[in-house]
Amino acid sequence: MKQFIQLITLLVVMPIQANTSIVVDILTSENFSSRYHEFLAGRSPLELEHFYPNTKGSHIEIIEMVLLQQALSLGGESRPLEFRPQPAVNTLEYSALIAGDSVLIGRSVWHEDIIDLKGSLFVSEPLVEVGQYEAGLYVTKRNVALQDLPAERLDQITVVANPRWQVDWHALNNLPVNLISFIGPWETMLNMVENQVADAMLVNFSVSESLTMNFEGREYVPINNLKVLLPDSRHFVVSKRHPDGERVFRALNKGLRILKERGTIERALRESGFINSRVAHWKPVNAAMLPTNVRSGR
């Protein structure tokens, strides 16, 4: 009788567990949810083999949402993902992950930002390797005088940056630019460039043919032939205190290794424009920050 009751209980519970989704936090800012669906255009994220940008843009966060699902699936995790928009302050401070209220974030993070949180977080295989993340010094398109500024004259410009973005701040501190420290929204910093409070801002390169970034009808362009290398790797992080944390982490890491071996991650970063072929021959103004083995392999 006891075995019969256990069997009935198992049959009742199993369908419920099978339908349980993995809740993943994403940022509410920049409308990632709608842009993610626009990028998929009805396609299954598990079946995508190519990652070319569409007219709505395929920002790195969108590509990461796809790669995250593919990695988990390849790692043996069959449950679907449910993306849950969260305010930036909660996500960026990792408080929900540390408390075990959330299992993971749907985007990669800098290793430097979570190095002191490894007691609370599992850190995945790198999605972006050291030296792969390149960014431009963006100025307003109307500021023609700065668009061809040579590297030798970087000490003549001001660049606004958030010191809490440690990797950006570290990279810019290794340039001869004049830094303006500002703790606040990315959009406000861009307004400072627009209103000439600062000359430039560090931004990952646009996927447009001309590298022009359009924001709310205003256009910004990078200083020609100069690029900044961000000297860190990016990883997914998973909560150690969440009941599903270890299971999800094992599947994620296994899947990421498979994607890397297949060349899917490299292809996704290149096809999406994150690794931008248009700036492949531009001069890295802070290459000395990278480890010697990375520099020699560029």
Side-chain angles (χ1 to χ4, degrees), residues 131-188:
Q132 283 187 311
Y133 201 120
E134 301 177 340
L137 293 167
Y138 271 74
V139 301
T140 60
K141 192 172 183 178
R142 67 176 184 275
N143 196 342
V144 179
L146 290 184
Q147 291 176 26
D148 291 308
L149 188 78
E152 297 75 24
R153 291 175 54 197
L154 281 175
D155 60 346
Q156 298 179 14
I157 66 169
T158 56
V159 178
V160 61
N162 189 333
R164 291 182 178 175
W165 301 348
Q166 297 182 60
V167 179
D168 294 46
W169 189 255
H170 189 198
L172 289 169
N173 264 292
N174 277 266
L175 299 182
V177 298
N178 301 291
L179 278 178
I180 298 177
S181 173
F182 177 79
I183 298 175
W186 181 87
E187 297 85 352
T188 304

Side-chain angles (χ1 to χ4, degrees), residues 138-142 186-196 201 206 211-221:
Y138 271 74
V139 301
T140 60
K141 192 172 183 178
R142 67 176 184 275
W186 181 87
E187 297 85 352
T188 304
M189 296 165 67
L190 202 55
N191 282 334
M192 293 172 69
V193 176
E194 178 68 25
N195 296 318
Q196 298 182 318
M201 178 178 169
S206 167
L211 302 175
T212 300
M213 178 180 68
N214 190 305
F215 183 77
E216 295 183 347
R218 301 176 310 209
E219 293 186 321
Y220 304 85
V221 294

Side-chain angles (χ1 to χ4, degrees), residues 9 19 24 29 36 74 89 102-103 124 126 129 132 135 139 170 186 188 205-206 219 231 247 253 256 259 261 273:
T9 302
N19 293 326
V24 180
S29 62
Y36 165 74
L74 288 170
V89 64
S102 296
V103 64
S124 79
E129 304 279 357
Q132 283 187 311
V139 301
H170 189 198
W186 181 87
T188 304
F205 289 106
S206 167
E219 293 186 321
R247 171 184 171 180
N253 243 10
L256 285 174
L259 288 174
E261 289 169 2

Side-chain angles (χ1 to χ4, degrees), residues 57-170:
S58 48
H59 199 271
I60 183 61
E61 282 87 349
I62 309 301
I63 301 304
E64 289 177 340
M65 290 164 73
V66 174
L67 292 175
L68 176 63
Q69 292 174 87
Q70 292 189 359
L72 285 169
S73 178
L74 288 170
E77 181 55 75
S78 59
R79 290 174 294 174
L81 267 62
E82 176 188 339
F83 292 112
R84 177 177 62 183
Q86 292 290 318
V89 64
N90 292 336
T91 304
L92 294 177
E93 291 180 350
Y94 314 109
S95 55
L97 290 181
I98 293 170
D101 297 328
S102 296
V103 64
L104 78 159
I105 302 174
R107 63 181 181 85
S108 67
V109 299
W110 292 115
H111 184 262
E112 186 172 324
D113 288 344
I114 45 85
I115 196 168
D116 294 328
L117 301 176
K118 289 187 175 181
S120 301
L121 303 176
F122 293 114
V123 181
S124 79
E125 297 279 326
L127 188 73
V128 178
E129 304 279 357
V130 175
Q132 283 187 311
Y133 201 120
E134 301 177 340
L137 293 167
Y138 271 74
V139 301
T140 60
K141 192 172 183 178
R142 67 176 184 275
N143 196 342
V144 179
L146 290 184
Q147 291 176 26
D148 291 308
L149 188 78
E152 297 75 24
R153 291 175 54 197
L154 281 175
D155 60 346
Q156 298 179 14
I157 66 169
T158 56
V159 178
V160 61
N162 189 333
R164 291 182 178 175
W165 301 348
Q166 297 182 60
V167 179
D168 294 46
W169 189 255
H170 189 198

Side-chain angles (χ1 to χ4, degrees), residues 185-242:
W186 181 87
E187 297 85 352
T188 304
M189 296 165 67
L190 202 55
N191 282 334
M192 293 172 69
V193 176
E194 178 68 25
N195 296 318
Q196 298 182 318
V197 177
D199 294 316
M201 178 178 169
L202 190 66
V203 182
N204 52 302
F205 289 106
S206 167
V207 296
S208 70
E209 288 287 339
S210 63
L211 302 175
T212 300
M213 178 180 68
N214 190 305
F215 183 77
E216 295 183 347
R218 301 176 310 209
E219 293 186 321
Y220 304 85
V221 294
I223 297 176
N224 287 323
N225 297 313
L226 301 182
K227 60 184 177 182
V228 179
L229 309 177
L230 299 187
D232 200 6
S233 54
R234 291 185 67 89
H235 309 253
F236 289 115
V237 288
V238 181
S239 171
K240 286 187 175 180
R241 297 193 64 181
H242 193 280

